[in-house]
Amino acid sequence: ARGDDFQNGDLDRVTARWTVFAPTDAAMARFARRVTRNQVDVVDGDITGIIDAISTGMANLKRITTLPDLRRILQYHVLGSEYPSSALGNNTFSTIAGLNLTFVNGLAVDEDPAQEFARPNPKDFFYLNGYVHHMEQVLLPFDLSKQFKQLDASPSSSPSPSLSVSASPLPSGVSPSA
């Protein structure tokens, strides 16, 4: 499965098989606070406010970086096959974003060293065509702290994109901004 399947709404196809790592509302609120550097008042449970804060924070970072857009971050939370929590163990999976997501002792290890490893809820939630694992953090395919340092060091008038994502190569036909 590739990212364009996800974009085209194929998650609800009966024949498709997926594993989705779904951040909880609390995880989304923490991410909103972090990406806005606590400069936006984020109220837990206010989904619209959380999404607006995340969009604002990401837009500010994207002005000077080649940071993946929100769609790509969402794709980092989806695997193109179904895996129960018992299969996560000590494995590396390719996400539909074309990036690797590694699990060590059942904990997700993303590309942001400032975050603790994320533990999926051990209870398997099987839906129509795959598993949904609730996560207590948003998984990031980049180092957010590094992006803030770049933002702080760069004058806003002269952008200098230089995001390095340690990941597997993208599948053919998938662009970095997809």
Side-chain angles (χ1 to χ4, degrees), residues 117-129:
F117 297 160
R119 178 179 304 279
N121 185 324
K123 182 176 180 182
D124 289 326
F125 294 96
F126 188 83
Y127 291 95
L128 175 67
N129 53 1

Side-chain angles (χ1 to χ4, degrees), residues 102-132:
T102 299
F103 286 81
V104 176
N105 296 324
L107 301 174
V109 181
D110 66 7
E111 296 297 327
D112 188 1
Q115 296 196 121
E116 295 186 18
F117 297 160
R119 178 179 304 279
N121 185 324
K123 182 176 180 182
D124 289 326
F125 294 96
F126 188 83
Y127 291 95
L128 175 67
N129 53 1
Y131 290 95
V132 174

